[in-house]
Amino acid sequence: MVGVVTHTDLVLHQAQNPLLLLRRIERLELERYAEEVARLVEGLFGRGLEGVEIGRVVASLNDALIRRLVGEAEAALGPPPVAYRFMVFGSEGRREQALLTDQDNALVLGEDGYEAYFQALAERVVGGLLRAGIPECKGGYMATRWRLPLPAWLETFRRWMQAPEPQALLETQIFFDFRGVAGELSLKPLEEAVLEGGQRGVFLYHLAQAALAFRPPLGLFGRVRTEEGFLDLKRSALAPIVSLARLYALLAGSPARGTLERLKAAEGTTLSPEGAERLAEAFRFFFHLRLKHQLLAWQKGEAIGNRVLWAALSPGEKRQALEGFRAIQEIQESTAMRFQLR
């Protein structure tokens, strides 16, 4: 005999089932949500599920939580006076969620007016997400501030695409990862506007500039440069890949939202097959590495962040990181040449 499988073991195993948690979200105490998700992520990671796949599971759970909060808000406030859509963007829009995430959401209204109703609805949903452990967006990109009728959203997106300011586009490019989660209003006009704008040279030029804003931490002779021994995986590794994938997918006329889906859409059209494959491999590796270290921090009761200690990585991880940084650097250099950027 090597061990005994008890009823407790089976219950714990079942508790790490994403479908079970998805069903429980409707009645789960909001204050327990972050802990439940972290335990689920821990179980999935321990079973060897790829980090990007775990990110999709977490995004699905967050979607379900938003739909619950929207439903509760409508029950308290009454039926919505006009059709609307609660949309998410950024990493939630791309379905690339990790343990450390903040809110990126907005409201799209079918008509102007009805300010009191939708302000109250936004406050209830954003407040519920706060109680569930999902902090406010530091840039203020939340439905409590970003709430426009569809024609105004179209005008805003077109302004960003037709006469983009580099710094403004750098801050607002996450809006182009939007995805509807709750509500009945169709976002198809907005999707068509983005695809149309993706063929405009001036927009792509500034989007290319934004894709070069975050450079991989490579110094002389291709050595990795750290900040006091640490690497910021979000800023130096994931953000540039996300931006490059967004650029080349739009250039290919693809409506894809996820980074890997965007790279697949660009492969062989606007990106070389080798370049797309190398960026995809780097994205999977860096996403998995960040999730691994976030889980370690959570297990130790430490603050969850995006920085990892370079010296703590294994030799194999260092080699993969170096190869990933080189892939980013090469694609950024070819992007600079393609769009005649300095």
Side-chain angles (χ1 to χ4, degrees):
M1 183 180 293
V2 294
V4 176
V5 178
T6 67
H7 176 70
T8 302
D9 295 322
L10 296 176
V11 169
L12 288 173
H13 179 79
Q14 182 67 10
Q16 295 171 350
N17 186 326
L19 294 177
L20 180 64
L21 181 53
L22 194 62
R23 291 195 294 267
R24 291 176 53 218
I25 282 177
E26 286 298 321
R27 57 185 184 278
L28 186 69
E29 292 180 21
L30 292 178
E31 288 76 10
R32 291 180 53 199
Y33 179 77
E35 178 77 12
E36 293 276 355
V37 170
R39 291 195 180 281
L40 172 68
V41 170
E42 180 183 42
L44 296 176
F45 195 92
R47 293 182 218 168
L49 191 64
E50 189 181 54
V52 172
E53 295 301 325
I54 295 175
R56 290 183 180 133
V57 170
V58 175
S60 297
L61 295 172
N62 289 348
D63 286 357
L65 176 62
I66 289 172
R67 286 192 288 269
R68 166 192 162 176
L69 294 171
V70 167
E72 290 175 351
E74 288 185 2
L77 300 170
V82 295
Y84 73 97
R85 193 76 161 162
F86 193 96
M87 69 176 181
V88 295
F89 39 92
S91 60
E92 173 72 2
R94 298 189 305 271
R95 292 188 172 95
E96 294 165 0
Q97 294 283 270
L99 283 185
L100 176 65
T101 186
D102 55 9
Q103 296 189 41
D104 290 309
N105 50 59
L107 275 173
V108 186
L109 313 179
E111 297 177 19
D112 203 355
Y114 310 105
E115 176 64 20
Y117 180 93
F118 287 108
Q119 174 68 25
L121 184 142
E123 288 176 354
R124 284 176 176 270
V125 177
V126 169
L129 293 173
L130 280 171
R131 287 176 56 199
I134 304 176
E136 292 183 342
C137 172
K138 294 179 181 178
Y141 298 124
M142 296 176 297
T144 46
R145 293 181 59 183
W146 285 85
R147 192 170 58 255
L148 298 169
L150 181 57
W153 275 112
L154 285 168
E155 181 183 343
T156 300
F157 269 60
R158 286 173 177 146
R159 185 175 69 250
W160 286 337
M161 292 183 289
Q162 291 172 3
E165 298 178 6
Q167 184 59 37
L169 186 59
L170 182 63
E171 295 175 356
T172 58
Q173 61 180 321
I174 58 171
F175 275 97
F176 296 100
D177 301 339
F178 71 91
R179 182 170 57 84
V181 173
E184 302 298 329
L185 187 67
S186 172
L187 299 182
K188 188 174 181 180
L190 209 53
E191 294 167 355
E192 292 173 346
V194 171
L195 289 178
E196 178 186 343
Q199 305 306 308
R200 296 179 183 273
V202 63
F203 174 54
L204 292 171
Y205 176 84
H206 287 288
L207 206 59
Q209 277 188 319
L212 303 183
F214 300 109
R215 300 281 187 165
L218 294 177
L220 291 175
F221 310 111
R223 294 179 179 174
V224 173
R225 292 181 287 104
T226 64
E227 296 179 3
E228 299 179 346
F230 287 89
L231 286 175
D232 188 324
L233 292 179
K234 181 178 180 180
R235 182 182 181 87
S236 301
L238 294 170
I241 301 176
V242 166
S243 295
L244 287 167
R246 182 187 296 118
L247 166 67
Y248 284 105
L250 281 175
L251 189 59
S254 170
R257 291 290 183 270
T259 299
L260 293 179
E261 291 78 12
R262 284 171 165 169
L263 290 172
K264 188 67 177 176
E267 182 180 348
T269 55
T270 54
L271 263 181
S272 70
E274 180 188 2
E277 184 179 353
R278 290 180 68 198
L279 284 181
E281 288 177 357
F283 183 79
R284 289 190 183 94
F285 167 72
F286 286 125
F287 197 100
H288 194 85
L289 184 65
R290 180 180 65 159
L291 189 58
K292 170 186 172 181
H293 284 268
Q294 288 184 348
L295 272 174
L296 288 173
W298 174 75
Q299 290 164 351
K300 296 177 182 178
E302 299 173 353
I304 298 172
N306 294 304
R307 300 204 313 161
V308 299
L309 186 65
W310 177 252
L313 303 187
S314 69
E317 288 173 334
K318 289 180 179 178
R319 284 194 300 271
Q320 283 185 274
L322 189 57
E323 174 57 31
F325 289 139
R326 285 172 178 162
I328 296 169
Q329 185 179 63
E330 289 174 17
I331 301 298
Q332 285 185 333
E333 287 174 353
S334 67
T335 300
M337 292 179 60
R338 181 173 190 163
F339 290 91
Q340 298 182 350
L341 297 167
R342 294 181 180 180

